[in-house]
Amino acid sequence: MPGLGYQAIVLAGGDDKRLYPLSTGVVKALLPVANKPLLSYPLRTLSEAGLRHVYVVVSGEKPAATISSWIQTEYPASSGLQCEVVTVPEDYGTADALRAVASKVTAQTFVVVSGDLLTDLPVNALVASHQMNGAYATVLLSHRKTSPTTETKPGKAPKNVDYIGLCPKREHLLFYASSPETLRDLKVPLSVVRRHGNMTVSSDLADAHLYVFNRSVLSTLAAHPTLSSVRQDMLPFLTQNQFKLRTTQQEQQQQQQQRDASGSGAAAHSGGADVDGQGGGSELGFTTAKALPGAHYMAMSHDTAPQQPHHSGSACSLRVHVVEPGTNYCARVADVQSYGEVNREVADPHVAMHLSGLRPTKYENIVAASTTIGNKTTIAAACIVGENGALGDKSSIKRSVLGHGVKLGLNVKVINSVLMDGVVVGDNCTIQNSVICANAVLKERATVKDCQIGPGFTVSGGVEYKGEVLAKTAK
């Protein structure tokens, strides 16, 4: 079985205007999801995989300083997970960010995960499958919750859609095209179709932004500096050139095997020992992750064939793992809508609460002991209520997340919503399908439906708002 030593890189991004007004004054990676910073979820996933060192790449000096401060508090030396923040310019794409940390990648395999991804998929199993199949890259795909056609006007091509071509067994990535704008023409290389005889191009799958790469990918990025985005540039390039790239991959693997045989790789592969700067003074900075039971490897494997070397030009070097409904949880906080959805799903014990590390009560919710609850106030299942809150009499909370220090007046109704820390709601207010940012205030008898309220904004009383964005004007 191939060695399981690998490194991990988290692309935490920086300021994100797509989440306005939620991200006003807050780095996206630290937005609360079920009252925990968003970045804590991918870091928890990697920590549970056995990794003890992770590179966190942040765009921009100010966001990097904020995230570094948070990491120092939440992940001290005694935490077992060392997070090293790497700052890149704000205009860097995701592929540019990988070039910036290329010199730090010393393992033959490395994992790249977006800082806004929440998943319980076993990373070790995905890496094992990637290594057993000798892949150049393995891409995690998930099903879109809504079909692109339902979000597009009749006769118009959808925007921001991934067009993904897979082999009949849904194991090999044969084609990839993605753009934030409309794509009217898809050019599929005839050589790909000839090799596999059949290919299905789907727009109902989405790139989950978790990748397992062979180190050869870094050489490809160095040779093609115009590849700026992993999704929009790099993956389309790899699918078009994957058969040519396999030769380069095999040459690098042979060189690595020669180095291992000469003893240069002994520190990284000696009996699964830790190589995070320990044991012989190694400076490699990655760990040999804990092995999962063999059954898990086979379940996650893309190919049950014996582990034989792939022949250049005869095997596909790009592979996929599709998260099927009802198996693993996989979701990204990519925009305001998904932010609300992910919060509600993590608050639900039957969906994704396990990702937060919280344990529900017998009522299938989480209510902090320090929060006072008024007379005849009800908190339904799949709700989370943070510390030091105060819920007025006859209030009702359903499928919602309330942050720390939230104050509700009398007869307040909160449905399918997120109220961040310090929100104050007056008597007889109704909040539905909305996100209320930190320290916002709703006056008495205000009604908000399908709205986003910016931090510190005051909503007038006795008024109904529907489908609006209410935020302070930037000075």
Side-chain angles (χ1 to χ4, degrees):
M1 180 175 292
L4 294 179
Y6 64 94
Q7 291 171 276
I9 300 169
V10 176
L11 301 180
D15 296 324
D16 194 333
K17 296 181 180 179
R18 292 173 299 179
L19 284 160
Y20 177 84
L22 281 60
S23 57
T24 303
V26 181
V27 179
K28 175 186 175 180
L30 300 184
L31 279 173
V33 172
N35 294 336
K36 294 178 179 291
L38 175 58
L39 183 58
S40 68
Y41 289 91
L43 291 179
R44 177 186 175 94
T45 297
L46 295 172
S47 178
E48 290 179 345
L51 286 167
R52 296 197 303 174
H53 186 280
V54 176
Y55 291 106
V56 180
V57 184
V58 185
S59 301
E61 295 288 346
K62 187 175 180 180
T66 303
I67 291 176
S68 294
S69 178
W70 173 76
I71 285 177
Q72 290 174 5
T73 302
E74 296 297 324
Y75 294 92
S78 59
S79 67
L81 180 65
Q82 179 185 358
C83 299
E84 181 176 340
V85 176
V86 178
T87 307
V88 298
E90 293 181 0
D91 60 350
Y92 265 31
T94 49
D96 297 323
L98 294 184
R99 287 191 194 88
V101 296
S103 62
K104 300 178 182 293
V105 178
T106 54
Q108 192 64 27
T109 302
F110 66 101
V111 173
V112 177
V113 57
S114 177
D116 60 10
L117 175 66
L118 288 79
T119 184
D120 55 9
L121 186 82
V123 176
N124 281 348
L126 192 65
V127 171
S129 173
H130 170 89
Q131 293 177 332
M132 285 191 294
N133 288 285
Y136 194 80
T138 298
V139 181
L140 184 67
L141 303 176
S142 61
H143 288 266
R144 291 174 59 100
K145 293 183 179 180
T146 57
S147 173
T149 56
T150 63
E151 303 172 345
T152 308
K153 295 181 180 180
K156 300 290 184 179
K159 294 183 178 181
N160 202 31
V161 171
D162 298 326
Y163 294 94
I164 299 173
L166 303 179
C167 71
K169 293 184 178 180
R170 294 163 67 88
E171 297 173 348
H172 304 295
L173 180 62
L174 307 180
F175 176 79
Y176 191 101
S178 179
S179 172
E181 301 301 326
T182 298
L183 289 178
R184 297 186 178 277
D185 297 313
L186 298 179
K187 298 180 180 180
V188 180
L190 182 59
S191 59
V192 173
V193 180
R194 285 176 175 173
R195 284 178 183 272
H196 293 271
N198 191 6
M199 177 179 68
T200 300
V201 177
S202 171
S203 61
D204 291 330
L205 294 174
D207 178 3
H209 289 220
L210 192 159
Y211 317 99
V212 185
F213 290 128
N214 183 281
R215 196 172 183 276
S216 304
V217 166
L218 298 177
S219 298
T220 301
L221 287 177
H224 300 85
T226 58
L227 302 178
S228 180
S229 166
V230 171
R231 179 188 175 199
Q232 297 176 23
D233 304 320
M234 180 176 157
L235 288 180
F237 177 84
L238 293 181
T239 54
Q240 293 172 13
N241 298 276
Q242 57 184 299
F243 302 110
K244 299 177 183 178
L245 294 171
R246 169 152 308 272
T247 301
T248 302
Q249 177 188 357
Q250 290 176 332
E251 290 175 351
Q252 292 195 1
Q253 288 175 339
Q254 291 173 358
Q255 293 174 0
Q256 180 66 34
Q257 291 172 357
Q258 292 174 358
R259 287 194 295 268
D260 293 344
S262 64
S264 63
H269 299 90
S270 57
D274 182 2
V275 291
D276 265 336
Q278 302 178 11
S282 172
E283 297 293 329
L284 293 180
F286 65 94
T287 63
T288 298
K290 298 178 182 178
L292 297 180
H296 287 74
Y297 292 130
M298 296 308 298
M300 290 287 295
S301 176
H302 302 302
D303 193 348
T304 57
Q307 300 170 33
Q308 299 294 334
H310 293 282
H311 299 288
S312 178
S314 63
C316 181
S317 58
L318 301 182
R319 304 184 72 85
V320 298
H321 177 77
V322 181
V323 180
E324 299 294 348
T327 55
N328 295 101
Y329 181 81
C330 184
R332 289 183 60 225
V333 178
D335 49 33
V336 173
Q337 180 179 348
S338 60
Y339 176 80
E341 292 173 351
V342 168
N343 266 277
R344 290 190 291 271
E345 290 168 351
V346 176
D348 191 337
H350 300 290
V351 181
M353 182 178 282
H354 60 284
L355 294 177
S356 68
L358 300 172
R359 294 186 177 182
T361 66
K362 63 180 180 180
Y363 302 109
E364 297 191 331
N365 56 27
I366 302 289
V367 181
S370 58
T371 289
T372 59
I373 302 175
N375 185 37
K376 295 185 180 180
T377 290
T378 60
I379 304 174
C383 287
I384 296 179
V385 179
E387 301 281 352
N388 303 314
L391 312 182
D393 295 345
K394 297 183 181 179
S395 292
S396 172
I397 305 171
K398 298 180 180 179
R399 300 181 299 280
S400 298
V401 175
L402 276 59
H404 306 306
V406 171
K407 313 294 183 184
L408 302 185
L410 305 177
N411 195 34
V412 173
K413 294 179 175 58
V414 182
I415 307 167
N416 291 339
S417 297
V418 178
L419 279 61
M420 298 186 191
D421 296 352
V423 170
V424 177
V425 182
D427 297 344
N428 300 302
C429 288
T430 298
I431 303 171
Q432 184 173 351
N433 298 328
S434 299
V435 178
I436 316 298
C437 293
N439 303 314
V441 177
L442 275 72
K443 297 293 187 178
E444 294 182 1
R445 299 186 307 281
T447 298
V448 294
K449 296 182 179 179
D450 304 309
C451 292
Q452 295 91 49
I453 312 298
F457 187 87
T458 298
V459 178
S460 301
V463 181
E464 179 175 347
Y465 298 90
K466 187 173 182 180
E468 296 192 43
V469 175
L470 306 175
K472 292 182 177 180
T473 304
K475 295 182 180 180

